[in-house]
Amino acid sequence: MTTSATLPQVTPEMQRKTLIGAVAGNLVEFLDFALYGLLASVISRIFFPQDAPLTALLSVLLLYASSFLVRPIGGIVLGLAGDRWGRRSVLMITITGMSVVTGLTALLPTYAQAGTSATVLLVICRLIQGFFAGGEYATATDYIVENSDQKRRAFRASFSPIGAYIGTVIAIGLYTLLSSLITAAQMEEWGWRVLFAIGLPLGLVGLLIRRKLDESPEFRAVERARVEQRLNPPTVTQVIRSQWKNILVFMSILMSHTLPNYLILGFFATYLTTFVGLAKTDAAMAVLVSQFVLIFSTLLHGYLSDVVGRKRWLLLGCVLVIPAMFFAFTYAEHGTLGSAIIAAVVPVMVFPMVTSGMTISLVDMFPAEMRASAGAMAYNTGTALFGGTAPLIGAALIGWSGSAFTLVYYVAAVAIVSFISIALFFRYPQRASHNAYQLASSAAQGNPVAARLRR
């Protein structure tokens, strides 16, 4: 029987290539979503009628959320493909699809040019983007860890969100630079097109990088086990039946990462400009500084998660994220650039405590033979429910109550649920070796899930 000890040796060169290739795709994904969040007020004016400006803004944020609601579908389809044909194949598909859609967005007609047809085309682009994005993050994380040695696993997995944060930094930097060079009218006329068009060449560079990658050793071992034991790739039903508990536990961890993350990433700039009255360039600068801090704090917490222990660090993160988000949305009301920067930086120093354990759990909570599909289902469903809806719910709650306190209460409720779930149900394996070779062995002993895979 094949065992984990027979996995091919992972060299430092393989690990470096893997990190660069994985980061490239997450960069393109979050470049697009960050640009959409930064340009929310602009998009609301050029793609929607302006008889009710607040309604138009909420419509843009609803569309932002809807693209996340498509992610679970993309996660299921592309996750199953990743378990059947390999992680590398899916990563090639996702980066191609995401970069092309981002580039096509730059060519869309405006509402003034095409009426509701322009709005429909924007909706279609956002939904397709969400579909491809559904297969990116979880598969890239799997690929990184499966191509790594067993040392500092959480630290290495942290490079997956790092790619996302670098994409956000690039988006904010380009937006800030262009905003300083052109007028608001020019931004609405053609500036937004320039920003979205940049996604296409960046995606092509990422595609060229990923073409040089090899399949992960662990997936190749899964393929060999399937041939030797005559196993079939898992179906959606088999994944859900065998992994539903782990999926729910993972989602309970994820929501205390994704809610504060998207409130800062996708909503905080809108909050600063719309509700606090800060200049757009100052709001973008505050979020830009926070993203630089976030890159380093994510790596730091990944390292500490390996040292201190996953569960302990996750629980502490769930506790500290509540006062951090309370501070962010209340201190920002001072309405200065300095207060906005401090308000944006504090939470990004805290919620990566959850990010570190959440990211490595994408790999270690699910067996290798169904890791891409189970992880993608869990990650994208949780992100859709608590991440994609964060800007919309944030704007609606503050608009309804007139206070950021209601939004903080929402964060606190989510963090409390996460804390209880992690304390009661999170069981972290010493090593995620419960994969296809063990499944094949259990099939011979009458395990019903394995037996179904065998047929």
Side-chain angles (χ1 to χ4, degrees):
M1 182 180 67
T2 307
T3 65
S4 60
T6 64
L7 289 177
Q9 181 67 34
V10 177
T11 65
E13 181 182 358
M14 289 172 59
Q15 295 183 59
R16 286 192 296 270
K17 288 171 59 178
T18 297
L19 290 176
I20 295 172
V23 164
N26 285 338
L27 185 155
V28 173
E29 174 188 352
F30 279 80
L31 173 77
D32 175 270
F33 283 100
L35 284 176
Y36 190 87
L38 290 166
L39 293 167
S41 59
V42 174
I43 292 173
S44 70
R45 289 191 291 273
I46 61 179
F47 283 100
F48 293 87
Q50 289 303 296
D51 50 347
L54 181 58
T55 301
L57 177 59
L58 290 176
S59 297
V60 171
L61 297 178
L62 178 61
L63 181 54
Y64 181 89
S66 68
S67 66
F68 281 81
L69 296 178
V70 178
R71 282 191 175 204
I73 300 175
I76 292 172
V77 174
L78 296 172
L80 290 172
D83 285 331
R84 177 179 291 269
W85 295 307
R87 322 313 191 203
R88 178 186 177 277
S89 299
V90 170
L91 292 177
M92 296 286 287
I93 293 170
T94 55
I95 195 169
T96 302
M98 291 187 301
S99 58
V100 168
V101 173
T102 302
L104 288 176
T105 302
L107 303 177
L108 294 180
T110 65
Y111 186 85
Q113 296 169 331
T116 55
S117 296
T119 307
V120 171
L121 290 173
L122 178 64
V123 171
I124 292 173
C125 282
R126 300 314 303 167
L127 295 180
I128 296 175
Q129 180 75 13
F131 176 85
F132 285 115
E136 173 62 34
Y137 188 94
T139 308
T141 304
D142 294 342
Y143 191 74
I144 288 174
V145 179
E146 290 179 355
N147 275 289
S148 300
D149 57 34
Q150 295 305 305
K151 299 177 181 178
R152 300 190 298 276
R153 291 167 61 80
F155 175 75
R156 294 183 187 281
S158 296
F159 279 90
S160 190
I162 290 301
Y165 303 147
I166 292 174
T168 303
V169 166
I170 293 175
I172 298 173
L174 292 172
Y175 172 82
T176 304
L177 176 62
L178 190 59
S179 296
S180 67
L181 297 176
I182 65 177
T183 65
Q186 289 173 321
M187 180 64 79
E188 293 186 15
E189 183 179 354
W190 55 266
W192 65 275
R193 297 185 185 276
V194 173
L195 293 174
F196 278 110
I198 292 171
L200 185 58
L202 286 177
L204 291 176
V205 172
L207 179 62
L208 292 175
I209 294 173
R210 285 187 170 178
R211 284 186 62 189
K212 299 178 181 179
L213 298 178
D214 298 320
E215 187 52 75
S216 75
E218 194 163 352
F219 180 76
R220 291 201 300 269
V222 169
E223 286 186 308
R224 287 196 301 271
R226 283 181 183 151
V227 172
E228 293 169 2
Q229 302 294 330
R230 293 180 294 171
L231 300 173
N232 293 320
T235 65
V236 174
T237 302
Q238 290 164 350
V239 172
I240 294 175
R241 283 180 179 175
S242 64
Q243 299 301 314
W244 67 269
K245 290 183 181 179
N246 283 339
I247 289 173
L248 291 178
V249 173
F250 177 85
M251 288 173 57
S252 72
I253 300 171
L254 171 71
M255 60 188 187
S256 282
H257 149 78
T258 198
L259 178 58
N261 182 44
Y262 279 95
L263 284 175
I264 301 300
L265 168 68
F267 176 66
F268 201 65
T270 300
Y271 170 74
L272 291 172
T273 56
T274 304
F275 297 100
V276 177
L278 201 66
K280 291 182 180 179
T281 53
D282 288 347
M285 179 60 67
V287 179
L288 178 62
V289 173
S290 74
Q291 294 302 302
F292 277 111
V293 175
L294 181 57
I295 290 172
F296 294 102
S297 66
T298 299
L299 290 175
L300 173 63
H301 287 303
Y303 173 80
L304 292 174
S305 180
D306 284 326
V307 174
V308 177
R310 311 279 193 264
K311 188 169 186 175
R312 192 177 306 170
W313 212 239
L314 283 168
L315 291 172
L316 184 59
C318 291
V319 172
L320 295 181
V321 74
I322 300 174
M325 294 300 289
F326 173 82
F327 175 85
F329 281 91
T330 54
Y331 193 74
E333 293 180 355
H334 285 78
T336 66
L337 175 59
S339 65
I341 290 175
I342 294 172
V345 164
V346 168
V348 303
M349 296 175 67
V350 173
F351 71 73
M353 298 175 74
V354 180
T355 306
S356 60
M358 177 276 296
T359 306
I360 187 59
S361 294
L362 262 177
V363 181
D364 285 350
M365 287 184 69
F366 304 107
E369 69 279 354
M370 55 181 65
R371 179 175 293 151
S373 49
M377 288 180 198
Y379 176 81
N380 289 293
T381 302
T383 300
L385 293 175
F386 298 98
T389 60
L392 176 65
I393 293 176
L397 286 175
I398 296 175
W400 166 70
S401 65
S403 170
F405 282 100
T406 51
L407 182 56
V408 177
Y409 294 150
Y410 177 42
V411 174
V414 166
I416 291 170
V417 172
S418 292
F419 184 92
I420 294 172
S421 177
I422 294 167
L424 295 179
F425 304 113
F426 182 68
R427 300 291 183 269
Y428 190 78
Q430 293 298 315
R431 188 195 186 290
S433 59
H434 53 300
N435 44 40
Y437 358 98
Q438 291 180 317
L439 187 65
S441 176
S442 62
Q445 301 172 22
N447 182 294
V449 175
R452 284 192 296 272
L453 289 176
R454 179 186 289 272
R455 286 196 293 268

